[in-house]
Amino acid sequence: MTDTDVIIVGAGPAGLMLAGELGLAGVRPVALERHAEPRDTPKASGIGGQILHLLRYRGMLDRFEAAGSDPHPPPRFPFGGMHVDLRHLVDPPMQAVAIAQVDTERVLAERAAELGADIRRGHDVVGVSQDEAAVTVDVRGPDGTYRVTARYLVGCDGGRSRIRDLAGIPFPGTTYPEVNRVGHVAVPDSVIVFDNGDIEAPGLGRIRAGFTRTDRGVFAYAVTRDGMFLSTTEDESAEYDDDQPMTLTELGDSVRRVLGADLPLGDPIRLSRFTFKDRQAQRYRDGRILLAGDAAHLLPATGVSLNLGMLDSVNLAWKLAADMHGWAPTGLLDTYHDERHFAGARALLQTRAQVALRRGDDPAAEALREVFQELLVDESALRRVGALIAGADIRYPQPGSNDRTLAGTFAPDLALRTDEGASSVAELMRTARPVFLDLADRPDLREIARDWQHRIDIISATTDHRPADALLIRPDAHIAWAATIDEPADTVTSALREALTVWFGAPVKSTVPNIR
């Protein structure tokens, strides 16, 4: 017997996203957070990339847009001391919502609570043990110490994860000797803003919008509708406490060191500081202990880790829920490490490339940056880099012989016509249930899917320019299997049966239809 099904350690974005997704799947987790109150130390200033599509599929994106400062900021993103500018693309592969991390966490906490999660703040994990049946956690709370047991524990407790250390999971990588200071401030009257975005300040003259590189570091800024966003990057080996807030004076001192003169700064809207680490846990699972978010990976660039961690949680939640509900096929939970370690490595690839672009100071490095910017003039290259930043180019490796081109990719949001009216893939995914989507009126395939009807929704629909005859979509909106157009029954039926078994366990025979 256990006290709960899943213990989540850490109530940051990854932990709260996991709590909500588990609740949506009918599992009631306990989330333990050592801080007594939500932290207001400025950290990430937005969410973006592939997580936005997932939030829209869950019907949640409008909540984040309403809570943020700008639901549709221009798609122009820093990349290795330069910018990747997607503004002229009609459908940019990378988009964002400007929202402070404290507001992201608030929205996620509200959703998790609505779905039944027990979020305990001021509860610090001091010990963990596990056996073949359960995990036992010793907790120091406001009223003293206590013990709680669960089937699984997920460490979402950040880059300095105690859970990862207690589980003995190695966390190799590199810490770079540089600090990035970021400020969003009002523009003072003494700073002139030109129509092209350049600024002019006393003692500095005219400064071009974008990145300015000196022999003391990198300065970057952009004028926003409510002020000025600026940052500095300097070589510095000091360690900073994540909860130690940055001051306007610290930012101003850094700007003076990089530019050689003072830049007047108005009232601060947001101030934050980042150090750069390149680390990935060797494994995301050790028995009944799993890792997600920064506990599993740290990236040497801003703007990626939070989104990557939330996607970890979406991938993990339905697999844990399948185990809780007793139908998880053998090896399902192990695919969490396989898939998300792969995604983390892909994120490390592009952020390591940013390090190479950002840190080089000699003529060869300057030439590399110039060539990179020239390549981004071509739309195909620009789209490819944008998708890489967004995490939209992920195709999970598929088990067995299923090598179909759509399998492993994120399901496109097809507009659907059903007997009940207009729908879409996004609407079908709101409940986070698996979906078998018949797009070509294939009764032979629907008949096979009926043996799993208690675990999956079976939908018949039509769409313009169908990408396949049928799709099997997992709760995390990734395609588990696809039937190519007009694929004959003698090859497609066995492959569908195999995919259903691999992802959703043994069939359950029933004569009650579940088709709509």
Side-chain angles (χ1 to χ4, degrees):
M1 297 295 293
T2 56
D3 300 310
T4 188
D5 288 329
V6 179
I7 297 170
I8 301 168
V9 180
L16 293 170
M17 187 75 192
L18 178 60
E21 287 287 296
L22 285 171
L24 195 60
V27 175
R28 301 294 179 261
V30 171
L32 305 174
E33 169 56 53
R34 65 186 180 90
H35 292 91
E37 299 292 336
R39 289 168 289 173
D40 57 4
T41 304
K43 291 186 177 180
S45 59
I47 54 177
Q50 197 64 22
I51 189 62
L52 295 186
H53 296 294
L54 191 285
L55 292 173
R56 183 167 59 83
Y57 280 24
R58 292 293 189 257
M60 292 178 57
L61 184 55
D62 57 343
R63 295 172 68 165
F64 289 89
E65 292 178 340
S69 59
D70 188 350
H72 305 290
R76 184 171 183 261
F77 303 98
F79 189 92
M82 299 174 293
H83 279 105
V84 173
D85 194 343
L86 308 171
R87 288 177 294 183
H88 73 277
L89 299 180
V90 176
D91 54 342
M94 171 68 186
Q95 299 186 59
V97 171
I99 178 173
Q101 183 166 326
V102 63
D103 293 319
T104 294
E105 293 180 5
R106 176 177 54 78
V107 173
L108 289 171
E110 290 171 354
R111 176 182 182 254
E114 291 165 5
L115 293 168
D118 179 4
I119 302 173
R120 304 178 186 178
R121 299 189 183 274
H123 293 250
D124 191 16
V125 173
V126 295
V128 174
S129 62
Q130 64 171 315
D131 56 31
E132 293 183 358
V135 180
T136 301
V137 177
D138 294 313
V139 185
R140 183 170 53 241
D143 299 322
T145 59
Y146 66 97
R147 178 168 288 179
V148 59
T149 61
R151 296 269 296 279
Y152 291 98
L153 179 149
V154 185
C156 300
D157 52 339
R160 295 172 176 159
S161 170
R162 182 178 296 170
I163 298 303
R164 186 186 61 238
D165 292 343
L166 290 171
I169 298 175
F171 197 46
T174 302
T175 298
Y176 295 94
E178 58 182 334
V179 177
N180 182 239
R181 294 178 173 88
V182 179
H184 187 187
V185 302
V187 180
D189 293 338
S190 57
V191 174
I192 300 171
V193 179
F194 296 95
D195 291 341
N196 67 350
D198 291 357
I199 60 172
E200 185 172 279
L204 286 171
R206 188 159 179 160
I207 305 173
R208 187 178 60 185
F211 290 88
T212 298
R213 185 175 295 270
T214 73
D215 58 2
R216 298 171 298 276
V218 179
F219 170 78
Y221 82 92
V223 176
T224 66
R225 64 183 183 181
D226 58 350
M228 181 169 61
F229 182 89
L230 65 147
S231 70
T232 62
T233 302
E234 299 179 87
D235 278 359
E236 187 178 341
S237 58
E239 283 283 336
Y240 290 93
D241 187 333
D242 290 343
D243 295 323
Q244 177 186 349
M246 189 179 75
T247 64
L248 190 64
T249 298
E250 180 183 336
L251 177 61
D253 290 344
S254 180
V255 172
R256 183 176 62 254
R257 288 192 298 269
V258 173
L259 294 181
D262 286 312
L263 173 66
L265 302 176
D267 292 336
I269 301 170
R270 172 182 175 267
L271 300 170
S272 58
R273 178 200 313 105
F274 303 93
T275 54
F276 293 108
K277 297 179 176 65
D278 168 351
R279 298 185 182 278
Q280 186 175 27
Q282 283 189 357
R283 56 187 185 277
Y284 286 11
R285 180 186 182 190
D286 182 85
R288 294 187 172 274
I289 298 174
L290 301 104
L291 303 176
D294 286 355
H297 42 68
L298 291 173
L299 307 177
T302 58
V304 182
S305 285
L306 183 149
N307 310 300
L308 184 67
M310 291 172 68
L311 289 170
D312 289 343
S313 297
V314 175
N315 184 288
L316 176 58
W318 75 272
K319 297 171 183 177
L320 283 173
D323 188 89
M324 298 298 106
H325 296 316
W327 57 260
T330 302
L332 179 65
L333 200 51
D334 289 330
T335 67
Y336 168 67
H337 166 86
D338 297 338
E339 295 180 343
R340 294 312 296 169
H341 199 276
F342 170 79
R346 187 72 177 161
L348 277 170
L349 175 71
Q350 61 101 347
T351 51
R352 285 168 176 164
Q354 292 194 49
V355 172
L357 291 166
R358 183 178 71 234
R359 287 188 58 77
D361 287 323
D362 59 8
E366 192 61 41
L368 175 63
R369 287 188 285 269
E370 186 174 341
V371 168
F372 185 82
Q373 291 279 237
E374 287 187 8
L375 290 173
L376 294 187
V377 173
D378 298 333
E379 182 174 332
S380 60
L382 184 62
R383 285 188 175 278
R384 185 163 186 168
V385 172
L388 180 61
I389 299 170
D393 63 342
I394 294 296
R395 180 182 185 273
Y396 292 141
Q398 294 301 291
S401 59
N402 191 345
D403 59 355
R404 300 167 193 274
T405 56
L406 288 175
T409 64
F410 194 82
D413 188 17
L414 304 173
L416 304 174
R417 296 179 293 273
T418 73
D419 290 343
E420 297 180 2
S423 185
S424 67
V425 168
E427 289 188 29
L428 297 181
M429 299 312 300
R430 289 197 174 191
T431 59
R433 279 177 56 84
V435 171
F436 175 77
L437 181 58
D438 177 9
L439 297 171
D441 191 19
R442 296 284 302 260
D444 54 333
L445 302 182
R446 295 198 304 272
E447 183 63 29
I448 292 171
R450 283 193 183 97
D451 289 342
W452 282 265
Q453 62 189 324
H454 296 295
R455 296 174 200 148
I456 68 175
D457 292 333
I458 303 173
I459 311 294
S460 293
T462 59
T463 188
D464 295 335
H465 313 295
R466 72 182 189 271
D469 272 7
L471 298 173
L472 180 62
I473 307 174
R474 306 182 332 186
D476 61 356
H478 277 77
I479 297 171
W481 169 90
T484 57
I485 293 176
D486 297 328
E487 186 172 356
D490 59 348
T491 62
V492 73
T493 53
S494 61
L496 173 58
R497 203 172 274 111
E498 177 187 3
L500 285 162
T501 303
V502 165
W503 292 109
F504 306 117
V508 179
K509 300 287 185 180
S510 174
T511 58
V512 180
N514 185 30
I515 301 174
R516 69 174 190 270

